[in-house]
Amino acid sequence: METLFIKGGRKLGGELDIVTAKNALLPILAGSIISDKNVILKKVAKFSDVMYMVKILESLGVEAKFEGDTLILSPKHAYAHVVKDEYTKKVRSSVFLLGPLLSRFGNAKIAYPGGCNIGNRPINLHIKGLEALGVKIEEKHGYIICDGKNMSAGEVHLDFPSVGTTENLMMASVRLKGVTTIYNCAREPEIEDLQNFLNSIGCKVSGAGSSTIVITGVESFKDCEYQPIHDRIVAGTYLIACAMCGGNILLKGCEKKYNQALIQKLKQSGAIVEDLGKDIEIKSNGKLKSIPSIETQPYPGFPTDLQNQILAMQTITKGTSVVVENLYESRFKICNELLRMGADITIKDRMAIINGVERLYGANVVASDLRGGAGLVLAGLVADGYTTVEDIYHIDRGYLSIEEDFCKLNAEIQRIRD
Ligand code: EPZ
């Protein structure tokens, strides 16, 4: 088992390149099976979730080869349209393979992805959207079985701007003769990135980033070389870390425009954030004011994937703050561990009320999910004394090597392998 060992209390300094986005790479990898043409992806961050998605593609007959951080995918000989439960349990977001498999093979069969520690993660919106495009769907023996024989272009209205559903339907529509319009789409930057990738293999998609996306079916595709956008959640995590610990860091290759909601909150708390075009610089004296209210919303609102990290920050800011989690039903598991570090938090349903304390104290804590684990690392960096974080495999799903990143930023943190 691996743990992170952290000595808190150091100011952060230095600079860091931000890696490509997990939540852009995953749908783009799924989309690589849509055509039989080669796909070269540049600067692929080898998060464990990404490496599992590559394994899923290989199980479907796609040839995958890394040359450094360049990934060469040859989907020409892809033959299977069944994704087994050993994979969907590891990468629940593999549900958005339904769209690409339907586009490529006309049918798809995926083991039910199930929930995770932050919520049930239902897929009813995916199913409803695909049925609106004429897909016949059966759910039996733990599998979702899709028959795309009678699929046709048309209009789909999403009940909620679901990121994965938007991505699934975009990819399910790219070969449908005619025009498909999806309304009430999610507007995350990763969706715009998926649109740019799909267009680079020959698709005709427009409108991503707005709530209406239009897809015109095509029949021919081309080889492509593509570099996904940077990871705004990794960047946001490190901006929050510097605001909490104090110091001055430069994050390279990450545009401010993708983190506007967070940056506004950090400025409100007293940190100084400079927009340097392709880079962001943050300065902080570590003595922050509480942010009265933070509510997670679909993009461009405050991202749920940074909620645990900014909640950790609120535990040591001066004053009282309220964090409301609107996207997931159990994304406050971090709070039990923060209480053990001396935080003052009260949970009422989807609301956390935090009274800032003078300091946190190092403790042995356990990560229960990806972003909660990242939040515990941030708490350890600012706490008095030593903190160990267990079950860090959760964190490795979305941070390439969080301890190496923080060592580059002057923190005292190491991974213990026993
Ligand atoms: C994506 O998940 C991200 N994952 C999540 O990041 C992120 O938290 C989420 O979008 C919201 O921004 C990837 O992109 C791989 P949704 P996704 O469909 O697509 C409900 C991380 O930490 N819903 O927008 O699953 C759902 O329960 C991860 O990197 C339905 O009810 O998110 C949730 O409450 C965590 N029915 C809300 O919508 C459905 O069919 C948002 O889900 C689908 C979703």
Side-chain angles (χ1 to χ4, degrees):
M1 184 180 75
E2 298 184 338
T3 53
L4 291 174
F5 185 66
I6 306 164
K7 182 175 184 302
R10 288 172 69 123
K11 285 192 181 308
L12 299 187
E15 59 183 59
L16 196 65
D17 288 313
I18 295 299
V19 293
T20 43
K22 167 177 84 79
N23 294 349
L25 280 163
L26 290 173
I28 286 171
L29 285 167
S32 69
I33 203 168
I34 285 172
S35 96
D36 59 358
K37 299 290 186 254
N38 287 342
V39 169
I40 297 177
L41 297 179
K42 314 282 282 179
K43 292 188 78 176
V44 173
K46 298 175 183 174
F47 303 109
S48 57
D49 269 14
V50 166
M51 300 312 280
Y52 273 116
M53 183 58 94
V54 172
K55 281 203 172 61
I56 293 175
L57 291 174
E58 288 176 317
S59 76
L60 299 170
V62 175
E63 287 157 41
K65 185 159 68 78
F66 272 103
E67 285 175 5
D69 59 4
T70 298
L71 174 60
I72 299 152
L73 296 164
S74 312
K76 189 176 175 57
H77 301 299
Y79 57 85
H81 64 273
V82 182
V83 183
K84 299 192 182 75
D85 61 356
E86 64 187 279
Y87 295 116
T88 53
K89 285 195 175 0
K90 291 277 184 199
V91 186
R92 59 161 309 286
S93 51
S94 51
V95 66
F96 48 42
L97 270 161
L98 286 173
L101 292 172
L102 282 163
S103 283
R104 178 73 181 271
F105 299 112
N107 48 40
K109 183 176 173 184
I110 286 201
Y112 210 85
C116 66
N117 289 336
I118 62 175
N120 297 329
R121 311 298 292 276
I123 58 167
N124 57 314
L125 299 177
H126 294 253
I127 290 179
K128 199 170 163 199
L130 290 170
E131 285 175 338
L133 293 175
V135 180
K136 292 273 166 290
I137 298 182
E138 248 191 299
E139 295 176 52
K140 71 180 177 192
H141 309 308
Y143 274 84
I144 304 147
I145 303 158
C146 299
D147 173 354
K149 219 175 12 280
N150 301 318
M151 281 180 83
S152 62
E155 295 194 348
V156 187
H157 294 255
L158 300 188
D159 294 343
F160 177 83
S162 152
V163 172
T165 303
T166 303
E167 293 163 342
N168 229 342
L169 297 180
M170 285 164 75
M171 296 191 279
S173 312
V174 292
R175 280 185 191 250
L176 297 180
K177 209 184 286 307
V179 176
T180 298
T181 308
I182 312 169
Y183 296 96
N184 194 24
C185 296
R187 297 166 50 194
E188 273 69 1
E190 293 77 21
I191 293 186
E192 218 169 327
D193 207 31
L194 176 62
Q195 169 179 283
N196 296 339
F197 166 74
L198 292 172
N199 290 339
S200 71
I201 65 170
C203 300
K204 285 204 179 79
V205 185
S206 61
S210 79
S211 53
T212 303
I213 296 177
V214 180
I215 303 105
T216 305
V218 296
E219 287 172 355
S220 63
F221 297 91
K222 55 189 178 183
D223 292 351
C224 91
E225 195 167 302
Y226 192 79
Q227 180 175 320
I229 54 171
H230 72 274
D231 197 310
R232 61 191 167 97
I233 304 301
V234 169
T237 303
Y238 297 154
L239 289 172
I240 295 168
C242 185
M244 291 170 76
C245 298
N248 176 353
I249 65 170
L250 175 70
L251 298 182
K252 301 174 75 176
C254 60
E255 293 168 68
K256 181 180 167 191
K257 69 178 178 180
Y258 293 153
N259 266 316
Q260 294 289 18
L262 168 67
I263 289 168
Q264 184 212 1
K265 297 293 185 187
L266 292 177
K267 286 181 172 175
Q268 210 180 322
S269 68
I272 298 160
V273 183
E274 301 283 334
D275 175 9
L276 306 172
K278 280 270 180 210
D279 305 335
I280 300 179
E281 182 175 17
I282 183 169
K283 294 178 193 135
S284 165
N285 61 11
K287 295 183 177 37
L288 303 171
K289 296 189 294 291
S290 288
I291 302 163
S293 159
I294 298 163
E295 283 218 37
T296 63
Q297 300 290 347
Y299 191 90
F302 191 90
T304 176
D305 294 348
L306 287 173
Q307 180 262 97
N308 281 183
Q309 298 92 314
I310 203 148
L311 188 154
M313 180 177 118
Q314 296 310 293
T315 64
I316 47 132
T317 51
K318 196 167 171 41
T320 299
S321 137
V322 173
V323 174
V324 179
E325 173 52 62
N326 291 311
L327 276 293
Y328 293 108
E329 59 270 33
S330 54
R331 204 166 203 178
F332 283 138
K333 289 200 168 68
I334 185 177
C335 295
N336 291 334
E337 301 302 293
L338 291 173
L339 290 172
R340 300 178 58 239
M341 298 177 77
D344 174 354
I345 308 170
T346 310
I347 306 284
K348 284 195 171 57
D349 300 330
R350 291 204 178 202
M351 189 189 292
I353 301 147
I354 305 124
N355 294 311
V357 293
E358 192 61 32
R359 65 176 56 78
L360 293 178
Y361 297 95
N364 298 336
V365 292
V366 182
S368 55
D369 56 75
L370 163 54
R371 307 300 175 185
L376 290 173
V377 171
L378 270 50
L381 290 172
V382 79
D384 271 10
Y386 294 94
T387 296
T388 57
V389 183
E390 291 180 21
D391 289 359
I392 57 174
Y393 61 87
H394 289 294
I395 304 173
D396 293 337
R397 288 185 44 224
Y399 296 84
L400 215 41
S401 169
I402 200 165
E403 74 278 10
E404 283 177 23
D405 283 351
F406 276 121
C407 285
K408 285 178 193 155
L409 297 175
N410 190 46
E412 233 178 301
I413 174 173
Q414 56 179 307
R415 182 179 293 246
I416 312 281
R417 293 178 172 85
D418 58 3

